[in-house]
Amino acid sequence: MPLVCVRFRKVKMAWSMCPTICLVSLVLIRYAFAHPLSSVGSIGVLNHCDAPIYLKVTREADCPTSILEPGGTYRETYQFPAHGGTSVKLAKDTDSLQNGENEVQLEYTCTDQCYVDFSLINDATKFPGENTTLSLRPSDPRCDTLICTAGDTTCRNAYYIPTDDHAVRACSLEASWTFTLCDRPSTR
């Protein structure tokens, strides 16, 4: 069952905020009609590693940490936060997630299309081991597949520094992506 993270807060608003709220509401309604839910893709994680992986989704607020057991999957329909994108953080333990180290980040932002990447900036060469192949595959064959093979510490398909924008790929909103940890030839 997919993880759903929603926060509701009680907010007191001044009447003067109504025009802004109404405008935002109209934009969201327009977007909903232009992009019906049935045509929006998803993003997922498949754990082919021999050990559990800890997963935390970050958007405008953090979601609770979940455990992705070996052979387990996580999938969510694309989300459209008002500010920024979504990061699915993956690590061998909860301490790494809390400290922002030894983690892989699967990141996406959707506008007219979805832009995806995975980041190894946070010392992820130790995640979950040096002999780990990572792949990010689209459902649409017209879009690029990203693979970093085990032991490749300079893979051009991943972020190693914040300016590695060549690692970002784009595909239609209808396409779905699957990020596989410990990818094996039999799963490709």
Side-chain angles (χ1 to χ4, degrees):
M1 187 158 97
L3 170 74
V4 177
C5 180
V6 180
R7 281 197 183 175
F8 295 96
R9 295 183 185 152
K10 292 184 179 181
V11 179
K12 291 185 179 181
M13 295 181 284
W15 183 253
S16 62
M17 290 179 64
C18 186
T20 303
I21 293 168
C22 292
L23 178 62
V24 169
S25 297
L26 287 174
V27 169
L28 291 174
I29 290 169
R30 181 173 170 252
Y31 186 85
F33 281 111
H35 303 282
L37 288 178
S38 63
S39 68
V40 175
S42 63
I43 197 152
V45 178
L46 175 58
N47 181 10
H48 272 283
C49 298
D50 296 329
I53 299 297
Y54 292 84
L55 177 146
K56 185 173 191 170
V57 178
T58 305
R59 281 187 262 284
E60 293 169 323
D62 285 351
C63 292
T65 300
S66 299
I67 299 174
L68 195 58
E69 296 293 339
T73 60
Y74 165 82
R75 183 157 298 277
E76 70 176 36
T77 302
Y78 294 138
Q79 303 297 305
F80 298 87
H83 305 287
T86 298
S87 177
V88 180
K89 299 177 182 209
L90 304 153
K92 292 188 291 187
D93 54 65
T94 56
D95 288 343
S96 293
L97 285 179
Q98 297 302 323
N99 298 329
E101 55 193 30
N102 299 330
E103 66 183 15
V104 173
Q105 294 185 59
L106 170 60
E107 303 162 325
Y108 75 93
T109 301
C110 297
T111 54
D112 58 325
Q113 54 186 345
C114 278
Y115 301 88
V116 300
D117 68 79
F118 62 92
S119 168
L120 305 175
I121 291 174
N122 296 348
D123 201 20
T125 54
K126 298 175 184 167
F127 167 87
E130 291 181 19
N131 295 317
T132 299
T133 295
L134 304 171
S135 68
L136 182 57
R137 299 176 189 283
S139 61
D140 185 337
R142 296 172 295 178
C143 303
D144 293 338
T145 294
L146 300 169
I147 298 175
C148 287
T149 56
D152 184 355
T153 58
T154 60
C155 179
R156 293 196 40 84
N157 289 326
Y159 271 81
Y160 285 92
I161 59 173
T163 56
D164 281 342
D165 294 336
H166 59 266
V168 176
R169 298 298 191 274
C171 204
S172 70
L173 287 173
E174 293 79 21
S176 293
W177 293 84
T178 300
F179 185 59
T180 305
L181 305 164
C182 304
D183 198 0
R184 301 175 180 126
S186 63
T187 63
R188 293 184 197 157

